[in-house]
Amino acid sequence: LFQQRLRNLIQIMAYNMQHDRDFENDTIQKYSYYYTLHATTMSSPLYMSEKLESEHPKWMEVEFSNEYGTFTGVIIRLWRHNIKTQSDTVISVSGVYFSGMVYIGPRLLHTDPALFKGNTIIFYMHGGYFTSPNNFLNEQPEYARITSISLNPKQVRSSYTINMLSKLHSLQQEIKRETSECDILRQKISEGGNHTDKYAGSRNSSATLRKLLSRNKPRPSVELLTSVKKQIEDARFRVQLLKQEKLRKENHVKVRHVISEKEKELIDDLGCDLMNKYRTLNKDMTRLRERKKVNEERKQIVMNVAAQLLHRRRQLISDLNQIFPIVEVSPDRYEICSVFLPNSEHLGDSSSDTGTGVALGHVVSLIQAISTFLSLPLRYPVLQLSSRSKVIDPVTVDIPDNEREFALYPRGSSYRLQFHYGVYLINKNIAQLRLDCGLSTSDLRTTLANLYSLLNHKKSTTSSSRHRSLSGSSTVDSSSISSLNTSASSLSSPLHIHKTMSAPIMINKAGSASQANSVDSAGSGGGQFEYSPRRGHESVAS
């Protein structure tokens, strides 16, 4: 027995194809059948047959390439195609090993389909027809298949001797050589070319052949031959140029190929670098998101602490009402700790200089406490000495360093100018604290009224306005303030204080009056204080 392979397969057919009957309409559906061959159960089909409408379809003969011809077995899928719905259904899937099939016979003319089960597949191969052993309804019939013959050794004779085989081989080679020469001669005759010397001098050539080869033809002219030779030379020259160009192009392609490989390597390196940077960026973004989350939490904590701080500051400032109570005894008349302090414009009319010093001492202690609670340094520092408190002017350049302290208590008419200037600086400090708390000061001269409204301010105290400059409103012009004399006795001329409720009146050295257009630091119209310790004349506009 020899082993069957896929290349030995000639044709495939089927018997007893089963139909589905439609019991509702009492009709039989029309189907067509086809099959597909696969190398494995999961591979794509290597062959698909045509579709036939028959109970016993007999498909066309098959041919396979050398790639699949060595297969000793295949997977065959039998399909049923519904003509009405155009749908396909798998009827059966079988794995067929060609050497394990059962021989049916050399022909199928007298084979009864009733011997087989439904959907039986028959394979026609070299040597006869074969099928699977499981396709028979009853017992498997035995068919005689002659694959070998047993003979008596005495009856076996040699068909050829070595000499005869050698002669047969030589004869085959001679036949092959003669056949090749005949093909060459036949080709030359068909092309109409001149006969060669070999055939011209051959005595065994037939007369007919010599006549065909020596047939007279018109001799070409010299000009035609020259033209043909020229064309041949031109063609050879072009071929040579094309070869050189081809070689040059090949070299150029090689160079470009090398460059392309280098660029590919560079691109790969850049891609790796880019991927590393991308991963680093992702890590950085993750860390950034985490830090932003932490910052948001810290920001919330800071906001809560700031809110608590602001609440505590308001509470502390409100508690100062109990320590330094300011009471409005009558319209435009306030007392601090039961001590009356008139407005700045009425300080010169006060009958009790001692009470004024005491009240200003309480004011200094109060603004110093508020400054501490708000963590806001005063623009003009103060010295808390009770009724002998002082204020310092570190801003004005023209004042000598040993005369920058201004007493906040009256010391006589000769020091009245310094006293009023000190009160003016205290009012500026109050305006600064009010501005930090979000309050504007319309009049600097109402000292206790401004403090009273600051202590009873219910809105949130913010520090955002702390960095606002006080120099954009009312200013104490440094160019208009002269240096204070080294001693108070040098002030020989009397002091003149001009008070006004609108713009200040400043008296210059010539004695003429002019109205100033400036306003105070909190946007008020409370007036401008000009301190000029001159021998001829000193003026204050409060």
Side-chain angles (χ1 to χ4, degrees), residues 8-13 35 58-62 122-125 129:
N8 303 125
L9 181 62
I10 300 175
Q11 191 178 20
I12 295 178
M13 58 199 70
Y35 67 91
K58 185 176 182 181
W59 292 283
M60 295 177 60
E61 296 183 357
V62 295
I122 307 297
F123 297 88
Y124 177 38
M125 309 184 73
Y129 293 87

Side-chain angles (χ1 to χ4, degrees), residues 359-423:
L360 288 175
H362 292 319
V363 170
V364 168
S365 299
L366 179 57
I367 64 174
Q368 184 64 35
I370 296 175
S371 172
T372 303
F373 295 158
L374 296 180
S375 300
L376 177 66
L378 295 174
R379 186 175 183 183
Y380 303 100
V382 294
L383 299 176
Q384 300 184 47
L385 300 174
S386 187
S387 62
R388 292 295 182 265
S389 300
K390 297 180 181 180
V391 63
I392 303 173
D393 183 7
V395 179
T396 307
V397 181
D398 297 336
I399 301 177
D401 293 339
N402 57 352
E403 298 181 6
R404 290 185 179 274
E405 295 182 358
F406 297 91
L408 296 177
Y409 55 91
R411 292 187 297 175
S413 60
S414 60
Y415 292 95
R416 183 66 63 178
L417 177 63
Q418 289 89 335
F419 170 69
H420 281 278
Y421 186 69
V423 174

Side-chain angles (χ1 to χ4, degrees), residues 167-418:
K167 289 181 180 180
L168 181 60
H169 182 65
S170 301
L171 183 59
Q172 289 178 348
Q173 289 182 346
E174 185 66 23
I175 291 173
K176 185 176 180 181
R177 185 179 61 80
E178 291 293 338
T179 302
S180 177
E181 291 180 356
C182 288
D183 292 337
I184 295 172
L185 181 59
R186 188 179 293 107
Q187 182 180 0
K188 289 187 177 182
I189 291 174
S190 62
E191 292 177 355
N194 293 329
H195 59 278
T196 59
D197 295 338
K198 177 181 178 181
Y199 293 103
S202 179
R203 296 180 179 180
N204 297 327
S205 300
S206 61
T208 305
L209 183 58
R210 289 197 303 271
K211 186 176 181 180
L212 290 173
L213 295 177
S214 62
R215 182 179 297 174
N216 293 330
K217 291 184 179 180
R219 187 177 183 84
S221 61
V222 179
E223 292 79 4
L224 182 59
L225 291 175
T226 304
S227 176
V228 171
K229 289 180 180 180
K230 183 178 179 182
Q231 293 177 2
I232 293 173
E233 291 296 329
D234 293 339
R236 289 177 180 175
F237 181 72
R238 287 196 299 269
V239 168
Q240 189 67 23
L241 291 178
L242 290 175
K243 287 181 179 180
Q244 295 177 0
E245 183 67 18
K246 178 184 176 183
L247 182 61
R248 190 181 67 82
K249 291 291 185 182
E250 288 178 351
N251 295 333
H252 181 69
V253 169
K254 291 180 180 178
V255 172
R256 298 300 298 176
H257 182 70
V258 173
I259 296 175
S260 176
E261 292 295 331
K262 293 182 179 179
E263 291 180 350
K264 286 182 180 178
E265 294 177 358
L266 180 60
I267 290 173
D268 293 339
D269 295 339
L270 292 177
C272 294
D273 188 20
L274 182 61
M275 183 57 65
N276 294 332
K277 291 182 179 180
Y278 176 73
R279 293 171 181 171
T280 305
L281 178 61
N282 283 337
K283 294 179 181 178
D284 293 342
M285 291 178 66
T286 303
R287 287 196 293 267
L288 178 62
R289 285 192 290 268
E290 294 176 355
R291 291 181 181 179
K292 286 182 67 177
K293 186 177 179 181
V294 173
N295 290 339
E296 289 295 333
E297 294 176 356
R298 292 179 178 176
K299 183 179 178 181
Q300 189 64 30
I301 294 174
V302 170
M303 292 175 64
N304 294 335
V305 173
Q308 295 175 4
L309 177 61
L310 294 177
H311 177 72
R312 182 57 180 166
R313 284 176 174 174
R314 292 197 303 269
Q315 185 179 6
L316 291 175
I317 292 174
S318 299
D319 292 343
L320 291 176
N321 273 321
Q322 301 176 4
I323 302 174
F324 302 99
I326 299 176
V327 181
E328 185 179 4
V329 295
S330 64
D332 294 335
R333 182 181 178 86
Y334 293 85
E335 292 181 355
I336 179 169
C337 297
S338 302
V339 179
F340 171 68
L341 177 65
N343 295 335
S344 298
E345 58 184 358
H346 300 298
L347 284 177
D349 302 334
S350 176
S351 60
S352 177
D353 293 340
T354 303
T356 302
V358 171
L360 288 175
H362 292 319
V363 170
V364 168
S365 299
L366 179 57
I367 64 174
Q368 184 64 35
I370 296 175
S371 172
T372 303
F373 295 158
L374 296 180
S375 300
L376 177 66
L378 295 174
R379 186 175 183 183
Y380 303 100
V382 294
L383 299 176
Q384 300 184 47
L385 300 174
S386 187
S387 62
R388 292 295 182 265
S389 300
K390 297 180 181 180
V391 63
I392 303 173
D393 183 7
V395 179
T396 307
V397 181
D398 297 336
I399 301 177
D401 293 339
N402 57 352
E403 298 181 6
R404 290 185 179 274
E405 295 182 358
F406 297 91
L408 296 177
Y409 55 91
R411 292 187 297 175
S413 60
S414 60
Y415 292 95
R416 183 66 63 178
L417 177 63
Q418 289 89 335

